[in-house]
Amino acid sequence: MVGIVGYGSYVPRYRIKVEEIAHQWGKDSSAVKRGLLLQEKTVPGLDEDTITISVEAAKNALKRAEIAPEEIGALYIGSESHPYAVKPSGTVVAEALGIVPNVHIADYEFACKAGTEAMFVAHGLVKADLLKYAMGIGADTSQGAPGDALEFSASAGGSAFIFGKGNIVAEIIDTFSYTTDTPDFWRREGAFYPLHGGRFTGEPAYFKHVLGAGRAILEKSGYKASDFAYAIFHMPNGKFPLTAGKKLGFRKEQMEPGWIVPLMGNTYSGSSPTGFSATLDVAKPGDLILLVSFGSGAGSDAFIFKVTERINEVRNKAITVKELLEQNRIYLDYGQYAKYRGKIIMNE
Amino acid sequence: MPSPRYWREMPQRYRLEASQCTECGKVSFPPRIVCGCGARDFKKTNVSETGTIVSYTTIRVAPDAFVIQAPYNIAIVEADNGVRITTQVVDCAPEELAIGKKVKFVFRKLYEEGHCGIINYGYKAVLV
């Protein structure tokens, strides 16, 4: 039985409300809130980045896994905001966790689905008996251009998952990937902010791939939407995942625990993995969970998990996503936000 | 902090690695070669993840690399296993600090060696 032996998340304490961003750019906040179903988003501290977020999420995963860090044979981080263009994020994270030197490390990049890529590969290596344990992390400090619609959602946070064969909290029943070449969102080398295809990022990109992967894994596994306790779909805004889930036959109650975007924003590579982590926080033994990510470019990874009895033992060994999102929030105004996100040009 | 020193100090800065004297049990951070009791045998250990503020101050006129963070808090924290560490206390306003408050250590960016240099990571503390 291959599955997740430990999971954990981390979300920075800083927040900015939709009203604050809308006011800055002369937009109607109620229209944005109604249209995108967003209230606020997370913002990384001045001293936080994908690496520090990954370390904190991985520490929480290790608390729940109850294994020695040295037993982990691979560590993969998916992100579109790796702090270095050349130099892995994973080496810093592995060194901080005490996993080095007997470990295989790689950084992944595939817009918003790099986190589930890391999980996909980590799972495959354990399933193939090449490694006892492997860790997959999805984390980001996402960027949206000032004044762009993305600025209302691009946020920070991440989740880590340790895969293994013993003492698992959620078995992996099936996986599926659906990928095409679709230039719906991109950032060229050296460019500070990403660009996107505006309204054309919906049907030909997000929905085509999320529904493609979702329908395929349901058909392959033989399960129906009604068999699942929960489902998580990538959350670029509040509306898209609910629409995708409805088209696949899921009810809002099945998506609610993992639908964290109104308070968290779109954490890119950390989005659907953190929604999955929030769902594990409330899941019961025997529950089936569907997770479908989406990354522009474009593709979706789909997973079916079955929760085991061990979830009740480990759930409270680390902080939950709900606690991370609702406790100790520090609100920023737009000026502070611009400083925190490096949008102000400083002298050397 | 020049890069070679940063590399050498990674076990301490990243993982709070310390040494515990096998004779008297005292934990030293950073690790020592000779204990205060005169013994030279140590076992590897780590500074506790949580501690208590012993003293603190707020830096309002900061060195160049830290100007963007000002005002920021610096505290002497006594970890639960007795080690005293000088560290930044982040994610809180200066008026939230008090002697005796509990903190936990977290992994954060310390500073960047300019726009093109390496990024230095290490421990800081947050209130619990």
Side-chain angles (χ1 to χ4, degrees):
Chain A
M1 197 188 287
V2 183
I4 290 166
V5 297
Y7 70 98
S9 299
Y10 177 77
V11 177
R13 285 185 62 188
Y14 299 93
R15 302 286 188 279
I16 186 165
K17 286 184 177 288
V18 162
E19 288 87 346
E20 190 66 34
I21 300 172
H23 174 71
Q24 181 66 28
W25 299 108
K27 292 182 179 169
D28 177 3
S29 64
S30 58
V32 175
K33 289 171 93 166
R34 205 170 47 245
L36 300 177
L37 302 180
L38 301 172
Q39 296 173 37
E40 61 190 43
K41 67 168 189 173
T42 57
V43 181
L46 284 165
D47 55 2
E48 293 183 295
D49 61 19
T50 289
I51 287 175
T52 66
I53 288 168
S54 297
V55 170
E56 295 299 328
K59 281 182 183 173
N60 286 330
L62 281 165
K63 283 179 193 166
R64 288 195 174 105
E66 299 176 298
I67 60 170
E70 313 86 70
E71 291 189 271
I72 294 172
L75 187 148
Y76 302 122
I77 302 178
S79 180
E80 66 120 62
S81 49
H82 291 290
Y84 288 97
V86 178
K87 188 195 174 308
S89 300
T91 53
V92 184
V93 175
E95 187 81 45
L97 298 173
I99 297 176
V100 291
N102 303 319
V103 61
H104 183 252
I105 284 175
D107 287 359
Y108 289 88
E109 189 278 317
F110 194 142
C112 294
K113 98 169 176 80
T116 57
E117 277 183 330
M119 293 166 67
F120 200 96
V121 176
H123 160 247
L125 288 169
V126 171
K127 192 174 180 184
D129 275 328
L130 291 172
L131 298 169
K132 187 177 178 188
Y133 297 112
M135 186 185 283
I137 301 173
D140 252 310
T141 55
S142 324
Q143 284 281 7
D148 187 85
L150 274 180
E151 197 180 22
F152 289 104
S153 58
S155 66
S159 293
F161 300 88
I162 301 168
F163 295 84
K165 282 194 167 175
N167 273 334
I168 61 174
V169 297
E171 179 189 359
I172 294 185
I173 305 290
D174 217 336
T175 62
F176 193 86
S177 274
Y178 183 98
T179 311
T180 70
D181 184 21
T182 306
D184 58 317
F185 169 101
W186 62 93
R187 179 166 62 85
R188 293 280 298 273
E189 181 71 42
F192 200 60
Y193 299 115
L195 289 170
H196 56 82
R199 70 187 61 187
F200 300 104
T201 58
E203 288 302 330
Y206 180 87
F207 290 106
K208 176 182 173 181
H209 296 83
V210 169
L211 298 179
R215 284 183 183 128
I217 199 167
L218 290 178
E219 192 180 324
K220 185 178 167 213
S221 65
Y223 287 116
K224 307 183 296 293
S226 56
D227 295 327
F228 290 85
Y230 302 107
I232 304 99
F233 303 97
H234 172 58
M235 294 164 270
N237 54 53
K239 221 166 205 176
F240 277 22
L242 297 182
T243 305
K246 196 174 169 189
K247 284 187 177 176
L248 288 171
F250 289 91
R251 291 170 287 109
K252 194 178 177 193
E253 304 85 75
Q254 291 168 289
M255 298 182 266
E256 205 108 56
W259 189 62
I260 52 174
V261 61
L263 289 183
M264 186 160 172
N266 174 11
T267 317
Y268 288 23
S269 303
S271 173
S272 56
T274 306
F276 175 51
S277 176
T279 304
L280 285 174
D281 286 339
V282 299
K284 297 182 300 299
D287 282 349
L288 282 175
I289 301 174
L290 173 68
L291 165 64
V292 185
S293 66
F294 171 72
S296 293
S300 284
D301 296 327
F303 302 76
I304 294 174
F305 299 94
K306 189 173 190 179
V307 180
T308 73
E309 292 286 338
R310 190 166 174 267
I311 191 74
N312 292 331
E313 292 169 36
V314 306
R315 197 192 321 266
N316 295 323
K317 290 191 185 295
I319 192 164
T320 64
V321 174
K322 189 177 169 62
E323 288 168 328
L324 284 164
L325 285 177
E326 295 181 4
Q327 290 179 2
N328 300 321
R329 287 175 275 193
I330 301 171
Y331 287 96
L332 305 175
D333 60 31
Y334 195 89
Q336 291 170 310
Y337 165 75
K339 176 178 143 179
Y340 274 57
R341 297 305 291 125
K343 294 176 192 289
I344 300 172
I345 298 169
M346 308 282 286
N347 275 336
E348 269 288 336
Chain B
M1 192 192 307
S3 301
R5 180 176 160 198
Y6 171 65
W7 298 347
R8 282 199 304 275
E9 292 179 349
M10 275 180 187
Q12 286 75 50
R13 296 219 176 251
Y14 281 21
R15 300 189 295 274
L16 289 162
E17 270 188 22
S19 60
Q20 184 169 26
C21 175
T22 53
E23 288 291 319
C24 71
K26 183 178 164 58
V27 178
S28 296
F29 180 84
R32 301 175 61 147
I33 296 169
V34 182
C35 182
C37 73
R40 289 172 179 266
D41 278 337
F42 293 89
K43 65 176 180 183
K44 198 162 78 177
T45 186
N46 295 87
V47 175
S48 307
E49 283 182 12
T50 54
T52 308
I53 294 176
V54 175
S55 185
Y56 66 93
T57 188
T58 300
I59 307 294
R60 296 178 192 278
V61 183
D64 288 349
F66 297 89
V67 165
I68 199 164
Q69 297 180 40
Y72 58 90
N73 310 306
I74 299 281
I76 296 172
V77 170
E78 182 167 306
D80 292 346
N81 58 356
V83 174
R84 287 193 173 191
I85 292 178
T86 303
T87 179
Q88 257 182 273
V89 184
V90 293
D91 291 356
C92 63
E95 54 272 19
E96 290 180 72
L97 293 191
I99 292 169
K101 276 204 172 179
K102 294 291 286 182
V103 297
K104 70 170 181 178
F105 293 107
V106 291
F107 188 79
R108 293 291 173 96
K109 193 160 67 176
L110 300 181
Y111 70 100
E112 299 175 6
E113 296 182 2
H115 282 307
C116 300
I118 63 166
I119 306 167
N120 288 224
Y121 294 92
Y123 58 81
K124 290 186 183 177
V126 294
L127 294 174
V128 290

